[in-house]
Amino acid sequence: MAIQRLVLDTIMDDDYDLIAIHCSLAPYRLAFTLNKYVNLQLFRKRGDIKFEYDTYSTAFPLFQYHDHFQYNTYSLLGNKFRTKIQTEIAPIKGLFADVEDRYITEHLIPELKNVDYFLKIEAETSQFSSKSLTTKLLSIPQIVTAYVVDYTQLKSKNNLIFE
């Protein structure tokens, strides 16, 4: 009797380039700036990238652009989300119970806490060059720095899968 083996060589990991961006602009302003200087057409997606925790939920902004001519998909992701949680200071509940506002900051990729935004580029062809795009990003005056990140070394790379 012959032994049959199934080889799953066709399953591949996601192949994309990831660029980290350090910038103090609001997400919509950065998307507008990238549209202007890099000639993209990023638009805000209806659904943000959401994560649920025990007492709160987070929503990271997501802007996307599908380039149908070069078969590329550009996704601008916010890395930081800050939310306010109210906690009671004193165990006394009543009319004069003190309530303290506490802020919690969550990160989409906790290993890179200093990064403000990520630009994820999914390229179908091999003509895409992340170095030339990084050079264009560094020429924008509002961007402090930008560099390519090796996403395969990240522990939380599954947070970048959102579709």
Side-chain angles (χ1 to χ4, degrees):
M1 184 168 151
I3 297 174
Q4 294 182 357
R5 292 185 188 167
L6 298 175
V7 180
L8 298 176
D9 287 337
T10 58
I11 298 176
M12 298 182 343
D13 289 336
D14 289 338
D15 189 27
Y16 54 87
D17 292 317
L18 189 65
I19 298 175
I21 299 174
H22 294 264
C23 178
S24 62
L25 293 176
Y28 69 95
R29 294 289 299 164
L30 180 60
F32 176 78
T33 305
L34 291 178
N35 289 345
K36 182 178 176 184
Y37 286 100
V38 187
N39 200 17
L40 298 177
Q41 296 175 3
L42 293 167
F43 63 93
R44 180 78 183 251
K45 295 289 282 189
R46 285 186 190 265
D48 291 339
I49 302 171
K50 295 183 181 183
F51 293 103
E52 297 291 329
Y53 296 97
D54 293 335
T55 58
Y56 59 94
S57 64
T58 60
F60 297 97
L62 172 63
F63 294 83
Q64 271 191 339
Y65 166 55
H66 300 288
D67 187 0
H68 297 290
F69 296 112
Q70 296 183 359
Y71 303 108
N72 295 339
T73 301
Y74 299 88
S75 301
L76 178 66
L77 313 158
N79 190 35
K80 297 179 182 179
F81 180 80
R82 189 170 186 204
T83 185
K84 179 170 63 170
I85 296 177
Q86 293 182 352
T87 58
E88 291 185 12
I89 296 174
I92 302 171
K93 293 184 179 179
L95 184 61
F96 299 106
D98 290 335
V99 176
E100 178 183 342
D101 291 337
R102 192 178 79 175
Y103 291 93
I104 293 178
T105 303
E106 290 291 335
H107 301 279
L108 184 66
I109 305 294
E111 297 94 307
L112 300 170
K113 291 184 178 183
N114 294 330
V115 175
D116 296 315
Y117 299 98
F118 290 105
L119 187 62
K120 177 182 171 184
I121 303 101
E122 298 173 73
E124 303 262 335
T125 62
S126 61
Q127 295 175 353
F128 177 75
S129 172
S130 60
K131 288 186 178 185
S132 65
L133 180 61
T134 306
T135 306
K136 287 180 186 178
L137 291 175
L138 290 172
S139 68
I140 300 173
Q142 290 87 355
I143 293 179
V144 176
T145 187
Y147 51 90
V148 178
V149 175
D150 183 16
Y151 70 91
T152 58
Q153 303 299 320
L154 297 175
K155 292 180 183 176
S156 57
K157 65 182 173 186
N158 290 338
N159 292 350
L160 297 171
I161 301 170
F162 45 83
E163 288 192 45

